[in-house]
Amino acid sequence: MIVTALYCAGRLATARRRNRTIERDLDVMHVGMGVAMAGMLLPWLNPLAGGGWTLCWTVFFALAACWFGTKVLIAVADAGAVGHHLAHLLASGAMIYMLDGVSGMGSMSGMSGMAAGSPMVASALTLVLLVAFAVDAVLATGRVVRHGGMAIAGGGSTGIGPPLAPRLAGCCQIAMSVTMGYMLLLML
């Protein structure tokens, strides 16, 4: 996750210089999500360790959920495909869900029976999210194999040139979905 976060930060830094097109919002999300997930899996990697780390990440992912939720609503209103924006909306919600479970535990180990009401409701929600991220990983893999990676959907994209490494951007999405699935499995 740290490598994915660093790669996406590099995309943000170099795209404008190289006049290449990227979707800034996706790369910002991948940077934040990569760092947060690494910190959840290995607490010593958490740059925001201490009392306020959960609040900081919760605010980040709540803002991301609002952003991607708006993009999904706009796509639905325009009769367009919601595509990877829906996956990022779900990822933002899943991160908030997992942060709620991790906040008092320090790491991902032993997260069963966490806070979303009863343990059965938490397990059902965890299972639904797990399936959603498995589907997203499969769809992202298909896009990478068939079409060469992530499609640039406008709104939030920068640059006027060709997309910057769309196949690698798609691989970042696969890595995020697989790791999210692993973290959700730890919660069951």
Side-chain angles (χ1 to χ4, degrees), residues 125-150:
L125 180 57
T126 302
L127 193 57
V128 167
L129 288 169
L130 179 62
V131 169
F133 288 108
V135 168
D136 183 58
V138 169
L139 293 175
T141 302
R143 283 191 303 270
V144 167
V145 171
R146 283 191 313 274
H147 305 294
M150 300 293 286

Side-chain angles (χ1 to χ4, degrees), residues 14-80:
T14 61
R16 185 175 300 222
R17 251 191 5 226
R18 295 183 64 199
N19 202 28
R20 302 294 291 270
T21 303
I22 63 168
E23 286 188 89
R24 267 184 306 194
D25 51 0
L26 299 181
D27 286 319
V28 167
M29 175 72 167
H30 285 165
V31 169
M33 187 173 278
V35 172
M37 287 168 51
M40 290 168 76
L41 289 166
L42 299 170
W44 59 271
L45 284 175
N46 188 353
L48 299 175
W53 85 275
T54 302
L55 177 62
C56 291
W57 286 123
T58 301
V59 168
F60 175 84
F61 291 114
L63 291 171
C66 291
W67 177 260
F68 289 109
T70 301
K71 291 188 101 158
V72 167
L73 290 174
I74 290 169
V76 168
D78 291 342

